[in-house]
Amino acid sequence: MKKSAFFLAALCSGTLLLGSCSSDKTADTTTTETSTATTEPATGDMAGMDHSKMTESSTAGDSPLMASMNDMMGKMSAMKMKGNTDHDFTHMMLEHHKGAVAMADIELRDGKDATMKQMAEKIKADQQKEIGEMEPIAERLDSAPNNYKPMDPADPFTSQMKASMDGMMQNMPKMVADPDMNFNMMMTVHHQSAVDMAKAELAHGKDTKLKEMAQKMIDAQQKEIAEFKAWHDKNADKM
């Protein structure tokens, strides 16, 4: 009987020890996995670029333009960065341009002002043309070598691109009842972000064709920003 009791106690003790070892091993594995996850190479989302809640305090639910902008920002924020300035600029700008086309379509559907509708038509045509030019460049750059650190907030290109997105989020206008005024204000902010992104490409990009396109974007969109602001000043009663 004593032997049986001793054997049972030893068996229970061994089982507890084995369970403890198993738990320790699981903990070690979890720790190792967590450690590995935090030491992955600096690729993926651009540092600090998370604007998924950009319209929390806005009337996004009541505004098709704000919803469209929010959708564009969500796609840009979720985009995986390769770590090549030209590649990442192209892919980010493609989504940015698609957002402009979507907002132009909303203005063409809901707007009443002839000037704003004409600008919407021009923006849609210009940006669709540039999308067609950028898509083959984006495909060509898929194999381009890394030349910056998208996860390092101190990296000059990362910092400049993030600032362009932050500026768009921070300057997001409050929507009003007039659809033309909403388009005017939204596109002013959207264009400024594109100008800032294009300046980042000019400063840090390597692809000659893309840098030429970036300069054209700056020239065209700065001109349109001035036109938007002039219309805004003349139509302040629509606020």
Side-chain angles (χ1 to χ4, degrees):
M1 180 70 67
K2 287 183 179 181
K3 287 183 179 180
S4 298
F6 178 80
F7 177 78
L8 182 61
L11 180 62
C12 291
S13 175
T15 302
L16 289 172
L17 181 60
L18 182 61
S20 174
C21 291
S22 177
S23 297
D24 288 345
K25 185 175 181 181
T26 301
D28 289 344
T29 302
T30 303
T31 303
T32 302
E33 288 174 352
T34 303
S35 175
T36 301
T38 57
T39 56
E40 287 179 353
T43 56
D45 298 342
M46 191 167 283
M49 193 175 287
D50 181 11
H51 306 300
S52 57
K53 297 182 180 179
M54 62 170 287
T55 58
E56 252 182 9
S57 60
S58 74
T59 55
D62 301 325
S63 167
L65 281 170
M66 188 65 80
S68 179
M69 177 73 88
N70 215 16
D71 179 65
M72 180 202 76
M73 289 290 282
K75 289 175 180 176
M76 293 178 76
S77 180
M79 191 174 294
K80 298 300 180 183
M81 298 295 103
K82 175 181 175 61
N84 176 274
T85 53
D86 298 310
H87 174 279
D88 293 348
F89 166 77
T90 307
H91 284 269
M92 291 284 276
M93 191 59 83
L94 279 169
E95 288 299 337
H96 202 266
H97 273 28
K98 290 173 184 176
V101 171
M103 287 189 282
D105 279 337
I106 292 169
E107 168 61 17
L108 292 172
R109 182 192 71 196
D110 299 339
K112 306 297 181 186
D113 183 86
T115 300
M116 287 298 98
K117 289 173 79 72
Q118 286 172 3
M119 290 193 72
E121 288 176 350
K122 184 178 185 303
I123 288 168
K124 180 177 179 178
D126 289 348
Q127 304 228 344
Q128 283 181 326
K129 179 176 181 291
E130 288 179 355
I131 287 171
E133 293 172 352
M134 282 191 290
E135 284 178 337
I137 296 175
E139 186 175 349
R140 168 170 61 82
L141 291 169
D142 282 343
S143 59
N146 291 5
N147 59 8
Y148 85 102
K149 299 175 181 178
M151 292 300 289
D152 181 1
D155 182 277
F157 183 73
T158 298
S159 176
Q160 210 166 336
M161 289 291 282
K162 181 180 180 296
S164 76
M165 299 289 283
D166 287 346
M168 184 160 52
M169 181 182 73
Q170 292 162 6
N171 294 315
M172 200 59 54
K174 183 178 180 180
M175 297 289 94
V176 297
D178 188 88
D180 298 303
M181 179 58 75
N182 288 337
F183 176 72
N184 174 283
M185 295 188 296
M186 191 72 80
M187 287 307 305
T188 300
V189 174
H190 185 276
H191 269 19
Q192 185 58 55
S193 174
V195 168
D196 294 339
M197 288 171 63
K199 287 180 177 178
E201 170 63 17
L202 282 181
H204 306 289
K206 309 298 180 185
D207 190 275
T208 302
K209 174 63 176 176
L210 268 184
K211 289 166 78 77
E212 289 175 357
M213 289 186 69
Q215 185 61 63
K216 289 179 181 178
M217 289 175 197
I218 292 170
D219 296 341
Q221 297 198 32
Q222 282 182 332
K223 181 176 181 292
E224 288 176 353
I225 287 171
E227 292 172 0
F228 277 129
K229 288 182 176 179
W231 184 93
H232 187 282
D233 290 343
K234 292 178 181 178
N235 292 272
D237 60 311
K238 297 181 185 291
M239 289 294 291

